[in-house]
Structure formats: structure tokens, C-alpha cells
Amino acid sequence: MVVGIGELLWDVFPDGRRELGGAVANLAYHASLLGDRGVLASSVGRDANGNDLAGRLRELGVDGRYLQRAAGHPTGTVDVALHDGAPTYTIHEQVAFDHPRLDHAWRELAARTDAVTFGTLAQRTVDAAAVIGAFVAACPPHCVRLFDVNLRQHFWSAEVLDTSLEAATAVKLNDEELPLVAAALGLPAGDQPAMLAALLERYGLSVACLTRGARGCLLAGARAGGLGTPADGGGQPAATRSIVPCIAEQPGINVPVADTVGAGDAFAAALLYHALRGGDLQRTAAAANRYAAFVATRRGATPAVPEPVLHEARAAA
């Protein structure tokens, strides 16, 4: 079972159309398509937008039974602007996903989770960060904990980055985010493989994943253990770790881009699919890269995906 915990919202595009949004919601959708049970843990308002989102989740085949309703707070919305297919976001504050509750249902869900993904946006309030942190901590030891960074506007801090990485077994970020994260955490500047290796070593991660848009992706993995298992169990002081990473690099795939909204979330879903099956680093990078490239050829983050594309994304496992 793959759980996305965090934001659920409507992405509102310049032409007026709405698409289900939120990185963890997108990931839960793609995890379900690939054959895992994708579950969303989030909160919407007691309003029409919240009702519509709950219905949209059902249409997409995402398990929304753990969707909470926040009294007194509207459902989240984001205004999306597109520039040559690349999105920029205006994210509205004090919405329902800022006010989750670690209730009995969420505790029970955490105990049965095989992989969980979480990011920075849904941790922009102290209370929400505490709930997400407690959920991740309550997951079983074997659980793959993917911190999908997703820096948005001013909704992140060095403290949230550090705490999230300490809780994670894997991290995914893009090439614009990597130097920002390294600087915020006081990691040494260097080339991309060196900065990924520094993240692996400091936080005892199993894999650090860098998406590079049209330039493909770069994965740095610890040599010991599979993709889903930290090399040394995590949580040890940095001085006790010594990691020589293996590197998997995939070039970009030339596709007609409709927009890149959700492509990184599709990448993360394919990554988790293979991590849960002990996937090889190089083949995992290739599969996730291809799957994300396909999603970029479609509008929105949750397009229909033909079975041959899904089969190719699964094949390396």
C-alpha cells in the first residue's frame, strides 16, 4: 500500500479548467495505475470544492476513505500559470490541508503502510508538520519513506527539510531545488552527484533522486541494500556513516510536451513501485524517466495512461 500524506487541492488553469492537484494526490493516482494500492491521507473543506474532489478521487480509482473534512477551512486551490509548458503556482493559504488530524483511522493506516510520500508544502504550518511527522514515524520499519521535496513559494524552511530528511529513507528533488536544499542544510557545494552523495551520507538514505526535466534524471544509491532500505538503517550520526554511492543516469526523452504538471509525481510513483520490489537502480531510473516523459505529453497531472505505457513502466521490476 502506497500512501500520500499532505495536500489535496484543485489546480486552476488559465483557461478555467480544474484538475485534481497536490503532489501526493497525483502520486497516489499513478501508484494505483501501476498496480499498487494508492491511498490519500489529506483534508478538504466542508464545501462544494471538497465534495467535487472526493468525487474526482473515486473516478480516478484513488482510495479516499482517509480523506478528512476540516470545518471552518476551505478546500485548497492553486492558480497555475504555464510558460512554455512549465508551471508556476500561486498557492492559497489557510485551507483544509493545513489542518489535518492524526485520528484513529490515520494511525491504523500508518501501521499498514508499505510506502509513504510527503513533502514540504503540506508542512507549512507547525501543527500540520507535527501530524505528518507523527504519521511517518508510526509506519512500520520496512516502510519506504520518500521525502518528495517540492519547494513552493516561501512554504519551506531548513528546519522542515532537516526534520523530513531525518525521517526519510529516500529523497526526490529537481535540479533547481538541489542547490537550494544543499545551501539551506549547510552541505558542501559541488556537482550534482556530489550533492546527492552528501544527502545520502548525512541522512543515511537508500537513494537520492534528481529529476532534470528535459535532461532526464540522476539517481544516487547506497551500495548496500535495495532501493527501499537505508544503507545503515538511518538515524545514525553522520560520522558513523561512510557511503560510496552508485550512480544511475538517464538522458532526457524528446517528447512533445503538453505541460509538465505532475510529471515528477509520476516519476515518484514509478520509483516507489520498483523500490517496493527491490528494483535495480539503473532500470528503475529508466522506467521512472520514461513514465514521467509520457505524462508530460498529456495535459494535467492525472491523465489516462495506456496499458502498454504502464506495462513498460512496470517491466523492470
Side-chain angles (χ1 to χ4, degrees):
M1 179 165 57
V2 176
V3 175
I5 181 169
E7 67 273 17
L8 175 63
L9 49 87
W10 283 115
D11 283 330
V12 183
F13 288 80
D15 60 6
R17 67 188 169 95
R18 296 186 309 177
E19 296 283 353
L20 177 143
V24 295
N26 300 335
L27 180 137
Y29 167 71
H30 287 288
S32 295
L33 286 186
L34 289 167
D36 289 320
R37 180 184 169 197
V39 180
L40 180 64
S42 188
S43 182
V44 296
R46 298 182 184 274
D47 52 23
N49 274 341
N51 294 339
D52 291 347
L53 275 174
R56 183 60 178 147
L57 286 177
R58 288 191 295 270
E59 292 172 0
L60 292 172
V62 176
D63 188 340
R65 289 179 297 162
Y66 299 91
L67 192 62
Q68 298 174 348
R69 296 287 185 142
H73 299 283
T75 298
T77 56
V78 173
D79 297 326
V80 182
L82 298 173
H83 305 280
D84 297 325
T88 58
Y89 306 93
T90 302
I91 306 167
H92 301 288
E93 298 185 60
Q94 286 303 313
V95 297
F97 71 74
D98 292 317
H99 301 277
R101 307 178 307 279
L102 189 61
D103 57 15
H104 175 76
W106 277 25
R107 290 183 186 278
E108 184 272 341
L109 175 64
R112 298 186 294 109
T113 295
D114 299 303
V116 62
T117 184
F118 58 103
T120 55
L121 175 58
Q123 298 187 74
R124 64 184 177 177
T125 68
V126 172
D127 290 346
V131 168
I132 290 172
F135 183 99
V136 173
C139 293
H142 71 265
C143 179
V144 182
R145 296 164 168 84
L146 175 64
F147 176 40
D148 192 354
V149 173
N150 280 323
L151 301 183
R152 296 287 183 261
Q153 295 174 207
H154 59 282
F155 302 127
W156 61 278
S157 67
E159 180 181 3
V160 167
L161 291 173
D162 183 65
T163 300
S164 297
L165 285 161
E166 287 287 358
T169 62
V171 64
K172 179 185 117 0
L173 67 175
N174 65 37
D175 51 359
E176 293 181 354
E177 293 166 336
L178 179 59
L180 295 175
V181 169
L185 296 173
L187 295 173
D191 60 17
Q192 290 176 339
M195 286 189 284
L196 293 179
L199 284 171
L200 285 178
E201 184 165 348
R202 176 177 292 187
Y203 295 101
L205 304 172
S206 64
V207 62
C209 311
L210 185 70
T211 57
R212 304 193 289 190
R215 294 175 52 232
C217 68
L218 180 68
L219 272 61
R223 290 195 179 277
L227 279 178
T229 305
D232 56 15
Q236 296 183 19
T240 69
R241 305 187 188 118
S242 179
I243 294 175
V244 179
C246 52
I247 300 295
E249 185 171 7
Q250 288 291 317
I253 300 172
N254 187 18
V255 296
V257 174
D259 67 55
T260 60
V261 178
D265 308 323
F267 183 100
L271 173 77
L272 288 178
Y273 180 88
H274 290 278
L276 289 172
R277 293 158 179 83
D280 168 83
L281 194 72
Q282 190 70 51
R283 288 180 295 171
T284 298
N289 196 48
R290 287 194 302 268
Y291 190 58
F294 171 83
V295 171
T297 70
R298 300 295 190 266
R299 293 203 313 172
T302 55
V305 181
E307 181 55 38
V309 175
L310 295 170
H311 176 76
E312 184 179 37
R314 301 181 192 114

